Amino acid sequence: MSVALRNAQRAVPVRRAPLRRAVCALRAALGASRFDVGLVCAGNALMRRLNGAYRQCPEPTDVLSFPFHRVVAGELPRPRCRDEYNLGDIFLGVEYIHQQCRATGEDFDSVLAVTAAHGLCHLLGYQHNTKPQWQQMYQKEVEILEALNRLTGASLRPLTAGLF
C-alpha cells in the first residue's frame, strides 16, 4: 500500500524520494507490500524523548520501531479488516545518523536505507536481545538488503554485523 514519510526535523536535509523508494523495495522484499508503514525522520530531541519514554534510555538513537501488530519473527500480520493493513511506524533519528556518518565517513543516504531495513524487521517481530535472535534478524536484514542492492546497484550491509 503506502509509505507515509514525514520529516519532523530541520537539522539535516533528507532526500525523501530515494528513502521512500528504498523502504518500498525493502517492504516488498519482506513480502509486506500490501501493508502501510509510517516513516518519521526525527531530530535528536524527539528521539531522546521517545527513547526515554519507551525504552527508559533518554538518549538520542538511530531508530525506534512501533509495530501495529505483534507477530512472531518471520510471519506477516493477519489483518481482519482494511484498517489493520498497517505494519506500524519507524522513527529514524536522522540527526543522530548524520552525526555518526560524519564521524565514520559513511554515506548518509545509504545508512538511512540500512537503518530503515532494521526498523522494518523490528515491525515484523525480529529482535536482537539474544545471539539466536540477532542471528535470525541479521540474516533477514542481509536478505532484504541484497534485494535492494539488486535494484539499485548498491552494496548495502546491515549495521549490526558485530553485535554478538
Side-chain angles (χ1 to χ4, degrees), residues 3 8 24 36 45 47-48 58 60 69-71 76 78 83 87 101 127 135 142 155:
V3 173
C24 285
D36 296 329
M47 293 303 283
R48 183 180 298 112
H69 300 274
R70 288 197 175 187
V71 293
L76 289 176
R78 293 189 173 97
D83 290 344
L87 292 180
C101 288
Q127 298 296 324
Q135 289 172 321
V142 166
S155 56

Side-chain angles (χ1 to χ4, degrees), residues 42-115:
N44 282 345
L46 177 56
M47 293 303 283
R48 183 180 298 112
R49 282 195 309 275
L50 291 171
N51 208 15
Y54 292 98
R55 298 183 62 235
Q56 292 67 54
C57 183
E59 300 294 328
T61 189
D62 58 350
V63 64
L64 293 169
S65 296
F66 298 94
F68 187 82
H69 300 274
R70 288 197 175 187
V71 293
V72 174
E75 291 185 8
L76 289 176
R78 293 189 173 97
R80 295 177 303 223
C81 65
R82 171 61 197 112
D83 290 344
E84 292 182 1
Y85 277 86
N86 184 354
L87 292 180
D89 297 314
I90 300 169
F91 284 74
L92 291 175
V94 295
E95 185 177 359
Y96 180 88
I97 293 167
H98 188 261
Q99 290 166 344
Q100 298 297 315
C101 288
R102 282 198 353 240
T104 63
E106 293 181 82
D107 179 67
F108 175 67
D109 291 322
S110 296
V111 174
L112 273 184
V114 171
T115 307

